[in-house]
Amino acid sequence: MSSALDVLLEHPGLWRGGECARAAAAAAVPSGFALLDRCLPGGGWPQGALTEVFAPVQGIGEFALFLPACARLTRAGRWVAFIAPPHIPYAPALAQAGLDLARLLLIKTEALTDTCWALEQALKSRHCGAAFAWPRRIEDRTLRRLQLAAEQGGGSGFLFLPQAAAANASTAALRLALGAADTGELELRILKRRGGLLARPLRLDPRRPDASVAASDRGPRALAHFG
Amino acid sequence: MLWACLHFPLLPLEALARSAPGRTPLAVAEGATRPRILALNPAAHAAGIRTGMAVSAALALAPGLAVRARNSALEAHALREIAQWALQFSPAPSLEDGHGVLLEIGAGVKLFGGLDRLLAALHAGLPELGFSAVMAVAPTPTAALMLARASEPRIVEEAALLPRALAPLPVAAIGCGEQSIQTLADLGVHSVGALLALPRDGVARRFGQGLLDTLDRALGRLPDPRLAFTAPEQFYARLELPAPAWEVEALLFGCKRLLAGLSGWLRGAGLGAMRLRLELAHEDGAPSTPTLDLATPSRDPAHLGMLLRERLERTRLPARVEAIALATELCAPLAARDMALFPGTDAAEETQLIERLCARLGDDAVCALRPHADHRPELAWRSERPSRAASVPAPPAPRPLWLLAEPRRLDQFLHCARTPNQLLPSAQTPNQVLPPAQTPIVLMDGPERIEAGWWEGRDVCRDYFVARARSGQTLWIYRQRDGAPEQWYVHGIFA
């Protein structure tokens, strides 16, 4: 009985509130955290779209969260670009996380316009799997340009924005608010995703990705379809 | 053997004016005492000016007419540039007096997939360089030259057809000098056919053996060797702007002409450009010489043009530009065709992103990272130009994702990060080493003693810990072993 119900619930035409959209999301790159992937449309970080990240402080694992995906992308031969990061990305740590550093681009810019331009160029390029930027602020118009560039190139754009910007409306496909939990874990609230909202925040240790997912060299996971 | 002759009747004009779209009337004049119009652009033609007119008469017809003096040096330079470009069609182009370039194209017909395609490529390429040519093809170079000089764009593929093809040409096409042409005209001989019908001994007596030899060469009865143009080691081409300009668009128009030539030279040599130098000559002062570095060799004029645009937009010009020169500084072999199994996955396209970024942001702005074998954390990484370098094994101990460019004092750092300045009991106290009590922090891991570099004066003698602040931040902190014992520094952030 219960198995028949499960089969029914797996039907792509059936959508329950509180669940994320499955069929709507086209491409995604697995985040490396099974718990998180289940909550993300398409089962991972959206490709060909923008993700906004809001973190209160640096050093709570806000960037480690994206490293398994970066490792996967670089080892698949795609570029990962860091555009004007707040500090020096430390090569030994990136190598520890399994990134192929030969596929990593560090782009230094000074003006905000240059940062946005470089991000747009990176997203437009079909060879860039993911691009990260840390702009102090971003205008709506720029966001839409970047969204179009991401759609064109098929890469994932990640914007680390000041927490105050979380209150504004945004065209980004995914918006994450991060925080430090008392347990030392990372608390993750999904402010926006394609599909229904997630009521409860997630907790995970970003420095311990699921070994099975992180180690496998498969390409972006295909969606499972039933029926 | 099959020879193509490119004849440039408008060379005196184009050598001066090809760097700008000709919308204003422009003419080139020759002669010291009574200068006459030698060549003119369509705008000047529309104003009623014709070649051979006195400059004073032309100016009376069109007061806005710009008249430039003929510049033979520039014309010779332009011909050499065309020959450089034509190396992609023929291994041995040769230069002819009187505005011609001869190309032996018989050997390249198969490579280009037929004579028609080769000629179409020639026709399409010349306007990009900024020149217009009359093109004729014949089995002998002299015949091709005669056809082109007579403005007969004909294609004669077999030597047997030559006498009939050359017969209607005017005698002037032979290029035998005004005196002989006049004498022949007085005899009633106006065409090459009529000249060929005259008895040979009489012609030789009156005009010398030279004229007969020229005709024999044209018809393939005498060998007709040509001096091959030798390609320079590096590409160099220069053009004058009709008027000094600041605007990037005006400069780019000229650059496009030069890039077309560069592309042909590179294809002929089987090379791709790695570093280009642009020389922008100013009205006064030293020229600006921006350079352009490429990640992979390229000869695609569209790609190079896009990179030059980014570079020019970033270059601050001290004065207006009078002339542009383009030179290669470094080239690398590049296969004639893309050999990628799947089109679009080639490395060249991939690195276009890097080149575009470098062109606008500067070469130092884009780099790759790699770990470096050094125990000192600040020296354990290197940045370098992006490449497919092999990676170095990572250290076993935990390392932060962000390294601070300069270590910062822990108390100041935490204050900056706006953490509650409360006391936190230290749950784990490895080695009983505690940070000062007034900082709210717990040590999670350590110490990791790093002591190195004393041999070169940049010695490091530190105990590193992974620490968690009350705010949830995980930091990489250290204590100088030989410094103040209670002074802690933040060196990295586990972001």
Side-chain angles (χ1 to χ4, degrees):
Chain A
M1 180 64 191
S2 70
S3 72
L5 186 63
D6 286 342
V7 169
L8 185 66
L9 290 177
E10 286 289 345
H11 192 277
L14 197 67
W15 178 74
R16 292 196 290 174
E19 214 178 51
C20 60
R22 268 175 297 155
V29 57
S31 69
F33 304 93
L35 183 68
L36 180 58
D37 282 351
R38 277 199 291 277
C39 302
L40 294 173
W45 304 121
Q47 286 188 302
L50 293 180
T51 300
E52 289 180 345
V53 187
F54 308 96
V57 285
Q58 295 173 347
I60 55 173
E62 76 279 8
F63 196 62
L65 186 63
F66 301 98
L67 283 184
C70 289
R72 179 188 293 268
L73 286 168
T74 55
R75 276 184 282 154
R78 304 191 62 185
W79 291 106
V80 168
F82 296 169
I83 299 153
H87 302 286
I88 302 163
Y90 197 39
L94 296 171
Q96 277 175 351
L99 271 78
D100 177 2
L101 292 181
R103 302 266 83 188
L104 189 74
L105 278 183
L106 177 61
I107 301 163
K108 298 172 207 156
T109 60
E110 273 156 26
L112 184 65
T113 49
D114 280 344
T115 306
C116 293
W117 176 83
L119 183 60
E120 190 185 344
Q121 295 298 322
L123 288 174
K124 256 189 205 168
S125 163
R126 290 188 298 109
H127 299 279
C128 195
F132 295 82
W134 290 259
R136 290 183 303 283
R137 61 192 154 74
I138 196 141
E139 287 169 25
D140 247 12
R141 207 160 47 88
T142 319
L143 264 182
R144 278 197 293 273
R145 273 191 76 113
L146 293 172
Q147 176 68 37
L148 284 178
E151 279 169 24
Q152 189 183 336
S156 311
F158 296 94
L159 292 164
F160 288 80
L161 292 166
Q163 226 173 354
N168 306 340
S170 163
T171 51
L174 183 65
R175 307 183 87 204
L176 300 173
L178 306 181
D182 302 333
T183 51
E185 288 176 314
L186 184 70
E187 195 173 87
L188 194 148
R189 282 180 301 129
I190 298 179
L191 301 180
K192 179 187 173 186
R193 65 174 180 180
R194 285 171 183 158
L197 276 176
L198 191 68
R200 278 183 310 148
L202 290 172
R203 283 191 178 191
L204 48 87
D205 186 348
R207 283 142 200 141
R208 287 201 185 75
D210 306 337
S212 59
V213 182
S216 78
D217 263 341
R218 285 178 300 153
R221 195 166 67 183
L223 277 170
H225 277 288
F226 290 86
Chain B
M1 301 279 269
L2 203 57
W3 292 79
C5 178
L6 306 175
H7 185 244
F8 301 91
L10 289 176
L11 191 69
L13 178 79
E14 285 163 346
L16 287 165
R18 68 185 172 115
S19 51
R23 294 193 193 98
T24 53
L26 176 73
V28 178
E30 193 183 29
T33 50
R34 288 189 59 211
R36 290 190 172 274
I37 302 291
L38 187 71
L40 43 87
N41 69 358
H45 193 269
I49 299 162
R50 301 288 179 268
T51 51
M53 247 180 207
V55 169
S56 49
L59 282 172
L61 277 173
L65 177 74
V67 181
R68 304 277 303 264
R70 185 180 185 183
N71 188 335
S72 303
L74 220 54
E75 287 170 30
H77 199 93
L79 267 193
R80 274 205 303 281
E81 202 188 314
I82 295 165
Q84 279 184 16
W85 168 82
L87 281 166
Q88 59 183 316
F89 300 104
S90 164
S94 70
L95 302 178
E96 273 308 311
D97 288 343
H99 310 156
V101 175
L102 278 166
L103 306 171
E104 202 290 298
I105 52 169
V109 165
K110 198 157 194 175
L111 177 69
F112 279 84
L115 184 63
D116 294 343
R117 287 196 183 185
L118 195 157
L119 295 180
L122 266 168
H123 266 303
L126 282 168
E128 283 169 23
L129 281 178
F131 296 104
S132 53
V134 178
M135 189 159 64
V137 177
T140 66
T142 306
L145 192 60
M146 283 164 66
L147 284 166
R149 259 194 212 134
S151 298
E152 288 275 340
R154 293 188 58 174
I155 299 169
V156 182
E157 288 189 67
E158 287 179 41
L161 299 174
L162 272 177
R164 232 170 60 200
L166 296 180
L169 300 186
V171 175
I174 305 171
C176 53
E178 285 296 322
Q179 184 94 49
S180 308
I181 293 169
Q182 192 56 49
T183 316
L184 283 167
D186 292 346
L187 288 171
V189 175
H190 296 286
S191 68
V192 175
L195 178 59
L196 286 172
L198 293 179
R200 288 176 66 90
D201 52 349
V203 172
R205 254 200 320 278
R206 242 176 212 275
F207 302 101
Q209 187 63 29
L211 181 60
L212 273 185
D213 285 353
T214 306
L215 288 172
D216 284 344
R217 285 198 194 99
L219 295 172
R221 294 176 191 147
L222 273 182
D224 194 0
R226 294 281 158 173
L227 193 65
F229 167 81
T230 42
E233 288 279 304
Q234 296 288 349
F235 177 85
Y236 180 88
R238 178 186 163 95
L239 56 77
E240 311 269 335
L241 296 181
W246 286 104
E247 302 82 17
V248 171
E249 288 306 321
L251 300 181
L252 272 175
F253 190 87
C255 286
K256 245 179 231 164
R257 302 287 198 215
L258 296 174
L259 281 173
L262 172 70
S263 174
W265 178 80
L266 288 168
R267 190 170 294 120
L271 294 173
M274 290 290 285
R275 189 185 304 134
L276 293 175
R277 191 181 70 245
L278 206 58
E279 285 175 12
L280 306 169
H282 301 299
E283 286 153 306
D284 43 26
S288 311
T289 55
T291 57
L292 188 70
D293 278 289
L294 284 94
T296 51
S298 167
R299 59 171 169 245
D300 175 12
H303 176 55
L304 294 173
M306 191 265 303
L307 295 180
L308 275 185
R309 171 188 290 273
E310 298 287 357
R311 174 49 47 99
L312 280 173
E313 279 173 353
R314 224 165 52 83
T315 308
R316 280 210 189 86
L317 297 172
R320 288 191 292 180
V321 177
E322 285 200 311
I324 309 172
L326 181 70
T328 56
E329 289 204 332
L330 191 65
C331 294
L334 186 63
R337 289 179 199 162
D338 293 331
M339 293 300 183
L341 183 57
F342 303 105
T345 56
D346 54 329
E349 191 193 331
E350 203 173 278
T351 50
Q352 283 185 359
L353 169 65
I354 300 173
E355 288 163 1
R356 200 174 309 148
L357 292 167
C358 283
R360 164 143 168 186
L361 304 171
D363 288 334
D364 303 332
V366 183
C367 54
L369 298 167
R370 76 180 161 82
H372 181 68
D374 195 311
H375 291 294
R376 288 165 289 179
E378 54 267 55
L379 299 176
W381 66 284
R382 287 272 193 278
S383 69
E384 57 188 12
R385 278 187 70 81
S387 63
R388 284 178 175 271
S391 13
V392 174
R399 288 288 179 269
L401 276 170
W402 294 145
L403 188 76
L404 303 190
E406 288 291 329
R408 287 166 61 186
R409 278 176 54 178
L410 179 63
D411 48 351
Q412 289 174 358
F413 181 88
L414 289 179
H415 176 69
C416 287
R418 293 203 197 106
T419 53
N421 206 8
Q422 289 173 5
L423 214 138
L424 195 90
S426 300
Q428 296 157 336
T429 55
N431 287 5
Q432 298 301 312
V433 180
L434 278 166
Q438 57 267 42
T439 53
I441 201 149
V442 191
L443 297 180
M444 310 290 291
D445 192 16
E448 181 190 354
R449 179 157 296 177
I450 296 178
E451 190 165 0
W454 48 266
W455 53 87
E456 53 176 48
R458 294 178 67 185
D459 50 332
V460 159
C461 186
R462 302 168 184 163
D463 284 337
Y464 276 88
F465 294 86
V466 177
R468 174 162 295 150
R470 184 88 186 243
S471 57
Q473 290 172 289
T474 310
L475 304 171
W476 204 40
I477 62 174
Y478 72 84
R479 205 182 58 149
Q480 288 278 16
R481 287 192 60 234
D482 48 0
E486 296 306 298
Q487 192 52 61
W488 290 81
Y489 293 91
V490 180
H491 204 180
I493 303 171
F494 288 85

